[in-house]
Amino acid sequence: MNRRKFLSILGSAGVVSALSTAREAKAGGTHSFPYYEGSYGVLHDTTRCIGCRQCEAACNQVNNLPKPQKSFDDLSVCATRRRTSAREWTVVNKYVVHGKPVFRKLQCFHCNDPACAAACFAKCFQKQPDGSVAYDGTQCVGCRYCMIACPFYMPGFQYDDAFDPLVMKCTFCAPRMKEGKLPGCIEACPMDALTFGKRSDLIKVARSRMRKSPGKYVDYIYGEWDAGGTAWITLAPASGTATAASANPAHDLHPLDLDTHLGNRPIGELTYGALGAVPMIVAFWPVLFGGAYAISKRRDAIHEAEKEAVAREVKNDISYVVNTAANKVAETHGPAAADTVRQAASDALKVCERPLRS
Amino acid sequence: MRNGTTLLLLAAVAMLSAACLTTREALAAPAQEVVDYNVSPTRIIFPVGEKPNSAGVGMRPTVFNHLVHEKKIDNCLSCHHTGETKACTTCHTMEGKAEGNFITLTKAMHTPVVAKRPKGEPTPQSCVSCHQQQLAQRECAGCHSIVSVAHATRKTSYCAPCHNMTPSITKAQMQQGSAGVLPDKDKVALAAETMSAQKSVSHLTPEDGPYKVYIGEIADKFESNLFAHRRHVESIMEKLKDNKLAQAFHTQPETLCATCHHNAPLSATPPKCGSCHKSTIDPNQPERTSLKAAYHLQCMSCHRAMQVARPIDTSCVTCHKPRAPQRTD
């Protein structure tokens, strides 16, 4: 393989890789993770939630999580704004909205296009066809990028495990769903504040609830589009007059810690282009720079060889000249004179050998 | 007791003053009852329009009991928002007129929420907006936080209580009415006929239902619940006894039952809750709640709306007896 051939191969490989990176980035514009049509979701109707913490207790039980210090019968803990952690995959918080208590259950929202999966370079997170965002810790390196990427601050980390700490979050009870059972929290809810069903149906259910009870809900299904859409969607109670509610739904959602500023595109879209190129770089750069290195090495070697050949030729020429001259001297002045000439020539050559050689 | 006399005296004084206050109120009350605005007690609201109604058809006219309504309202401006005591149809016609700001009669009567007028101007009421506001009263709020009147607007049974003109009205009368030229004596005759044809509904009585109901199909952590059916019905009916609005709009004998016994045809023997609501949710019918949630949602929504304070939502034992010793935690 000569240099030209190598360079042409390298060039075409570069074009192909650039194209494929571009295609990947473009695919991110619609759905870079497959969108599952019949996937399941949950509608959390906060107007129904009474803050009984049955869902927390059920979650703790079905997932064999460590028992908390305060029992689940103690409802006063709802008043503090708790976050999910490795020990509590779901928490119910109490928010006081316009003087009335509203309870909201927090857990992984199971995004349609999860930011945690986009951030994870070990490919631990995957959106499943059943709607859940599954975490597989076998490859997890514990970088916790997923926790930073999550717009809902949901994943928890086993800080107290020194040897193999994992990220822990709601699994949507995927193992139970495979057995045909409902997720633990949904089964436990005594108010059906959590409605389980196909996500597409739940959007319709949410709309029909709004239609049937005008003025009861904020005209906003949280999670329908937020962060590119989530499998768990939330309805919030409207406050005040109908006109005030329709003006800006954020007024009623922000007191519930529901962030309406996440945009309607997946968070991961911001990074798919750049992160999609990383594997290409990893595969391609060693070849590129290795090749460049090899080319320059080879060029040096050739150069060296050429120089040596020239030097040899010059040496041959000189010895031929000296020999011819010496033979001539031997014929006229005898062999002793020829030896003197040879000696003189070799002495003279020794002086200029260095410049000749290098 | 040393202070016995003082206490007795104090009690007597208190009772006397209370008696004074009540008698004064009782004496003052009838004075307000005298209402004489020189209006005939009933009016007929025709679908008045500019277009000639040669066929004599249109929405069935409403016999409007002016007396009953004016007694309920403190301020005539609620309806007569211009300050003049003109008929609604003077400005609001079927097509809309410039005087009525092109607000049609249909809209003026039915709009559920009237936009607030700028300061100083009275915000008018439509029939529907005013009636809906009444549902916020405690005795109405229980059922009507569950059964939304607005949701029922598509059903024809919703129109019938108001659009109640007797079917014996002739096409000629209808034509004249739409043009606004029906003679007064015809109006009186029609109104009289309509009113006399109206029968008060004999609602089912609490005794028609069961005395108590055992709810125990899903008893698990708790004993089965003994629901005092008759007491609940009695309490609701007692509260609505003198409510004319409720009497006018609860048109069927079983209307009151339909808040809880919903979605099934009205009947004195409605199907059991469990015939539709199952103990586990079917993911293909997400809106159909589980049986447990169905009970809780109905009970709690009504109690919350009626401000029945006692059973706190999260206090299970107020309604359910724990199933004796086998509590885990």
Side-chain angles (χ1 to χ4, degrees):
Chain A
M1 190 196 286
N2 62 19
R3 186 164 69 158
R4 174 165 299 185
K5 210 175 193 179
F6 177 74
L7 277 177
S8 66
I9 289 170
L10 212 62
S12 48
V15 168
V16 166
S17 86
L19 280 177
S20 64
T21 314
R23 202 176 54 227
E24 200 156 310
K26 205 176 154 197
T30 48
H31 283 289
S32 45
F33 284 80
Y35 177 72
Y36 297 112
E37 197 55 56
S39 68
Y40 288 106
V42 173
L43 171 65
H44 177 31
D45 188 337
T46 54
T47 65
R48 289 184 177 185
C49 186
I50 55 171
C52 64
R53 298 186 74 207
Q54 298 281 320
C55 50
E56 286 186 44
C59 179
N60 183 286
Q61 195 202 337
V62 301
N63 293 305
N64 299 316
L65 298 175
K67 287 269 166 283
Q69 284 179 335
K70 281 185 181 172
S71 103
F72 289 108
D73 292 337
D74 182 359
L75 302 181
S76 64
V77 293
C78 293
T80 49
R81 287 201 180 178
R82 294 172 297 154
R83 270 184 59 184
T84 52
S85 68
R87 297 157 165 275
E88 299 157 305
W89 296 356
T90 184
V91 294
V92 177
N93 280 352
K94 178 179 166 183
Y95 301 91
V96 178
V97 185
H98 304 285
K100 283 183 186 163
V102 180
F103 296 93
R104 184 167 80 83
K105 178 179 178 292
L106 285 75
Q107 76 297 308
C108 171
F109 274 80
H110 298 277
C111 303
N112 288 347
D113 192 343
C116 51
C120 181
F121 56 78
K123 296 231 177 217
C124 292
F125 291 92
Q126 223 170 7
K127 179 77 173 175
Q128 301 292 331
D130 62 5
S132 64
V133 174
Y135 166 75
D136 174 14
T138 49
Q139 295 193 78
C140 181
V141 298
C143 69
R144 287 161 279 156
Y145 281 5
C146 49
M147 295 168 68
I148 296 163
C150 177
F152 308 107
Y153 309 102
M154 284 308 155
F157 191 67
Q158 291 177 318
Y159 288 103
D160 46 1
D161 188 342
F163 294 105
D164 187 21
L166 292 176
V167 169
M168 302 286 254
K169 69 163 197 75
C170 162
T171 60
F172 209 158
C173 280
R176 279 172 65 89
M177 288 219 283
K178 282 202 187 81
E179 292 170 33
K181 290 186 198 158
L182 287 169
C185 53
I186 288 149
E187 209 171 69
C189 182
M191 293 295 283
D192 271 11
L194 305 169
T195 306
F196 181 86
K198 298 221 162 72
R199 186 179 183 270
S200 47
D201 291 345
L202 293 178
I203 301 277
K204 287 178 202 152
V205 167
R207 291 248 175 268
S208 85
R209 282 192 198 167
M210 288 179 185
R211 206 165 46 241
K212 279 182 189 168
S213 315
K216 186 177 177 189
Y217 297 100
V218 186
D219 185 15
Y220 194 100
I221 304 173
Y222 191 84
E224 187 183 11
W225 300 109
D226 297 85
T230 55
W232 284 60
I233 53 180
T234 309
L235 284 182
S239 61
T241 58
T243 45
S246 60
N248 187 1
H251 275 305
D252 291 322
L253 291 168
H254 282 192
L256 287 177
D257 272 356
L258 287 168
D259 190 353
T260 50
H261 295 140
L262 298 176
N264 57 5
R265 309 299 315 162
I267 303 286
E269 243 176 42
L270 301 167
T271 51
Y272 285 143
L275 291 180
V278 169
M280 271 303 148
I281 289 167
V282 168
F284 186 63
W285 278 18
V287 181
L288 177 76
F289 292 122
Y293 177 72
I295 287 169
S296 63
K297 270 279 171 212
R298 184 167 170 269
R299 198 172 52 196
D300 282 355
I302 289 169
H303 185 61
E304 203 70 7
E306 276 173 358
K307 259 196 318 204
E308 255 168 38
V310 168
R312 218 169 18 249
E313 219 163 277
V314 168
K315 208 174 174 187
N316 285 348
D317 286 356
I318 288 168
S319 59
Y320 175 71
V321 167
V322 169
N323 274 338
T324 324
N327 289 345
K328 211 81 176 176
V329 169
E331 276 172 28
T332 51
H333 295 81
D339 284 346
T340 318
V341 167
R342 279 201 187 93
Q343 189 60 45
S346 74
D347 284 352
L349 276 173
K350 255 182 203 150
V351 174
C352 62
E353 189 155 318
R354 189 176 290 268
L356 248 180
R357 269 193 153 272
S358 58
Chain B
M1 196 191 276
R2 259 197 310 175
N3 295 335
T5 340
T6 334
L7 266 175
L8 268 174
L9 266 174
L10 273 174
V13 167
M15 275 178 76
L16 265 174
S17 39
C20 269
L21 280 171
T22 42
T23 39
R24 185 175 282 180
E25 259 175 38
L27 283 171
Q32 286 178 342
E33 286 283 306
V34 180
V35 180
D36 184 13
Y37 299 115
N38 199 16
V39 212
S40 65
T42 49
R43 319 284 290 171
I44 301 178
I45 304 174
F46 277 96
V48 174
E50 303 288 305
K51 281 188 201 158
N53 185 356
S54 51
V57 291
M59 188 65 201
R60 193 177 267 203
T62 300
V63 176
F64 173 71
N65 193 331
H66 197 280
L67 191 64
V68 167
H69 287 85
E70 73 190 26
K71 274 188 200 163
K72 284 278 175 193
I73 301 262
D74 331 320
N75 193 344
C76 301
L77 289 176
S78 303
C79 303
H80 296 284
H81 55 102
T82 54
E84 298 165 80
T85 49
K86 288 190 287 189
C88 314
T89 48
T90 322
C91 304
H92 301 292
T93 58
M94 292 306 283
E95 298 86 12
K97 275 161 97 175
E99 297 96 295
N101 211 5
F102 291 105
I103 289 166
T104 60
L105 183 62
T106 317
K107 199 167 181 198
M109 300 292 117
H110 298 107
T111 190
V113 181
V114 184
K116 218 170 161 58
R117 296 294 144 92
K119 254 189 186 166
E121 281 182 56
T123 303
Q125 296 275 22
S126 77
C127 306
V128 172
S129 74
C130 189
H131 284 163
Q132 285 208 356
Q133 282 165 24
Q134 307 309 312
L135 300 182
Q137 320 170 37
R138 223 181 127 199
E139 57 261 43
C140 308
C143 293
H144 286 288
S145 70
I146 300 170
V147 181
S148 159
V149 175
H151 182 59
T153 42
R154 298 285 158 79
K155 294 181 189 159
T156 45
S157 59
Y158 177 73
C159 313
C162 301
H163 293 275
N164 54 358
M165 174 54 75
T166 170
S168 67
I169 182 172
T170 62
K171 288 201 166 164
Q173 282 172 324
M174 184 72 191
Q175 206 175 333
Q176 285 173 315
S178 311
V181 291
L182 189 67
D184 276 351
K185 70 169 175 46
D186 281 25
K187 282 190 192 167
V188 171
L190 281 171
E193 195 183 337
T194 308
M195 299 308 273
S196 60
Q198 271 180 357
K199 288 179 213 129
S200 62
V201 195
S202 65
H203 286 286
L204 294 182
T205 59
E207 287 71 34
D208 289 328
Y211 175 53
K212 289 199 173 186
V213 180
Y214 267 103
I215 302 174
E217 289 157 77
I218 41 174
D220 172 27
K221 280 189 198 161
F222 299 96
E223 298 289 345
S224 48
N225 181 296
L226 190 60
F227 173 64
H229 188 280
R230 189 166 295 167
R231 213 184 115 199
H232 279 81
V233 181
E234 256 167 12
S235 131
I236 294 168
M237 292 192 83
E238 179 63 28
K239 286 195 174 73
L240 293 179
K241 201 173 55 183
D242 302 321
N243 192 320
K244 282 223 154 58
L245 189 63
Q247 281 161 14
F249 284 93
H250 295 168
T251 50
Q252 301 298 316
E254 305 90 352
T255 304
L256 278 176
C257 315
T259 301
C260 298
H261 300 283
H262 57 164
N263 294 342
L266 292 177
S267 153
T269 51
K272 296 183 82 160
C273 307
S275 46
C276 294
H277 296 277
K278 301 294 171 206
S279 52
T280 50
I281 315 164
D282 176 5
N284 294 318
Q285 285 181 318
E287 191 48 345
R288 186 168 292 178
T289 53
S290 68
L291 187 56
K292 191 203 272 181
Y295 285 125
H296 285 153
L297 281 171
Q298 297 285 54
C299 298
M300 286 183 197
S301 311
C302 190
H303 274 221
R304 204 181 289 171
M306 291 186 83
Q307 296 157 29
V308 184
R310 200 172 73 96
I312 301 164
D313 286 347
T314 46
S315 162
C316 308
V317 288
T318 317
C319 303
H320 307 280
K321 239 188 233 163
R323 187 168 270 185
Q326 47 179 334
R327 295 202 62 197
T328 46
D329 53 7

